[in-house]
Amino acid sequence: MEPIKTLNARIAVLATGGTIAGQAGDASKTAGYKAGVVGVDKLLEAVPALSQVAQIHAEQIASIDSKDMSTALWIALSQRINALLAQDDIDGIVVTHGTDTLEETAYFLHLTVKSDKPVVLTAAMRPSTALSADGPLNLLNAVTVAAQKCAWKQGVLVAFNNQIHSARDVTKTSTYAVDAFRSPEVGALGWVQDGRVEFQRAAVRPHTTQAPFDTQAALPAVEIVASYAGASRAAIDAFVGGGVKGIVIAGTGNGSVHATLQQALADATKQGVAVVRSSRVGSGHVMRNGAASDDALGSVSAGTLNPYKARVLLMLALAANITKPAAIQQTFDTF
Ligand code: SIN
């Protein structure tokens, strides 16, 4: 079957930095380079085939290593995407990003973009100067996905290494490999190759236009604390003392929490701090644990959201005045 022709699509490419815009002094180097230095015009110039796929409007939103991503930049990015997608002359968005926090930004956008048009994030594991750099093909594939009608209403997508993932499910699973992203348990939504895009399944949980979250309210402070052998309560006490509104636990197994941390969390919830239990395991889900802590403390189980995505949802829930444990649990069970 022939690839669908998409030449008339008008796609905005918003660049934020990352390794896809990274530069090394030596083409054989794939570590120890500087991320986020090559401008969006140069990224586009490196992919002449883009002109066969769509008309491109380019903007440089930021030039950062995504380890330095901020909630202020999330909000600015989401607002810019919403403004562009409200225009009749923009059919979709591609965001170029670093791989390190891509999954957090993608999930934030999945819950705050208010449009059915495609929003596709992409990135690279090798800097733009590297032998066999993966950025150019990832960018071409991301624009190809964003230009397709079948990518509408799918929520925010991640196009990486020929796969298409839902922002909700995807996570970085390798520090170096070019197939660095996976959607544990559920798998990719589909694939893109040589101009052809195929979806095999759809994301079923509400997102974008069906999500009640917006970027108007300031995001409250929510921190992540890991549970491990010999854990102390110092971090939780410091966060609570600093006025944190929520804590996400990267627990062991089914989000279980060291007894020392459990006591600190009991004290935190008495002061109105929302507590969500996620897991450090990397796949599977976290179930409510009944009397062991959730019922007694009013803590919430994160389901299949990893700690970093659970933090995104908890911040948005608290910003939307969803503060009671039962309502927060319902939010986690829904989104
Ligand atoms: C970053 O996340 O900005 C650097 C690492 C990468 O993009 O792979």
Side-chain angles (χ1 to χ4, degrees):
M1 201 189 295
E2 278 295 296
I4 301 158
K5 295 277 183 275
T6 53
L7 254 180
N8 293 327
R10 292 147 306 178
I11 304 299
V13 175
L14 309 185
T16 67
T19 292
I20 193 168
Q23 203 163 34
D26 174 343
S28 64
K29 266 203 165 289
T30 56
Y33 55 87
K34 189 153 172 44
V37 291
V38 178
V40 65
D41 293 342
K42 282 259 174 313
L43 296 188
L44 296 171
E45 260 171 50
V47 194
L50 280 172
S51 64
Q52 300 300 306
V53 177
Q55 296 168 40
I56 306 289
H57 160 86
E59 292 184 18
Q60 191 77 45
I61 300 289
S63 298
I64 62 165
D65 185 319
S66 80
K67 71 181 175 54
D68 299 323
M69 182 52 68
S70 66
T71 55
L73 188 48
W74 280 350
I75 291 170
L77 182 61
S78 182
Q79 289 176 346
R80 185 66 192 130
I81 290 172
N82 279 322
L84 284 164
L85 292 181
Q87 294 177 202
D88 288 340
D89 60 353
I90 295 291
D91 299 312
I93 302 280
V94 167
V95 178
T96 60
H97 199 286
T99 59
D100 286 348
T101 60
L102 179 143
E103 66 202 71
E104 298 170 54
T105 302
Y107 190 46
F108 180 79
L109 296 175
H110 192 63
L111 296 173
T112 59
V113 164
K114 299 294 166 218
S115 174
D116 290 335
K117 294 178 185 174
V119 177
V120 184
L121 276 72
T122 196
M125 289 299 285
R126 295 176 179 155
S128 67
T129 46
L131 291 170
S132 300
D134 51 333
L137 185 57
N138 283 345
L139 179 57
L140 180 64
N141 283 339
V143 171
T144 302
V145 173
Q148 303 290 323
K149 207 67 197 167
C150 61
W152 285 51
K153 297 193 178 189
Q154 303 274 8
V156 171
L157 302 169
V158 173
F160 200 89
N161 198 42
N162 293 104
Q163 292 188 318
I164 306 167
H165 294 268
S166 169
R168 187 186 189 281
D169 305 323
V170 74
T171 189
K172 185 173 176 179
T173 58
S174 173
T175 56
Y176 72 96
V178 290
D179 64 339
F181 285 86
R182 294 267 188 279
S183 294
E185 304 286 309
V186 293
L189 293 181
W191 52 263
V192 47
Q193 186 180 10
D194 299 355
R196 181 159 180 80
V197 175
E198 257 192 44
F199 284 87
Q200 311 285 357
R201 66 177 188 88
V204 292
R205 292 197 176 217
H207 52 70
T208 54
T209 52
Q210 271 89 52
F213 309 108
D214 60 38
T215 55
Q216 301 312 313
L219 292 173
V222 173
E223 303 288 354
I224 300 172
V225 175
S227 189
Y228 46 85
S232 94
R233 57 179 291 161
I236 293 177
D237 289 343
F239 286 141
V240 173
V244 78
K245 299 291 181 242
I247 292 175
V248 173
I249 292 290
T252 40
N254 180 39
S256 54
V257 180
H258 193 289
T260 307
L261 300 185
Q262 188 75 15
Q263 187 52 54
L265 291 176
D267 297 341
T269 51
K270 278 186 209 128
Q271 297 192 46
V273 175
V275 173
V276 172
R277 294 182 307 103
S278 179
S279 177
R280 64 182 211 180
V281 168
S283 68
H285 54 243
V286 171
M287 302 273 288
R288 283 188 67 79
N289 63 5
S293 82
D294 290 335
D295 293 347
L297 291 190
S299 51
V300 164
S301 64
T304 51
L305 291 179
N306 70 27
Y308 318 104
K309 294 190 191 201
R311 175 174 174 263
V312 170
L313 183 54
L314 184 55
M315 283 193 291
L316 286 169
L318 294 174
N321 272 327
I322 300 168
T323 55
K324 296 222 161 43
I328 297 173
Q329 185 65 67
Q330 202 193 348
T331 301
F332 273 78
D333 291 347
T334 305
F335 299 99

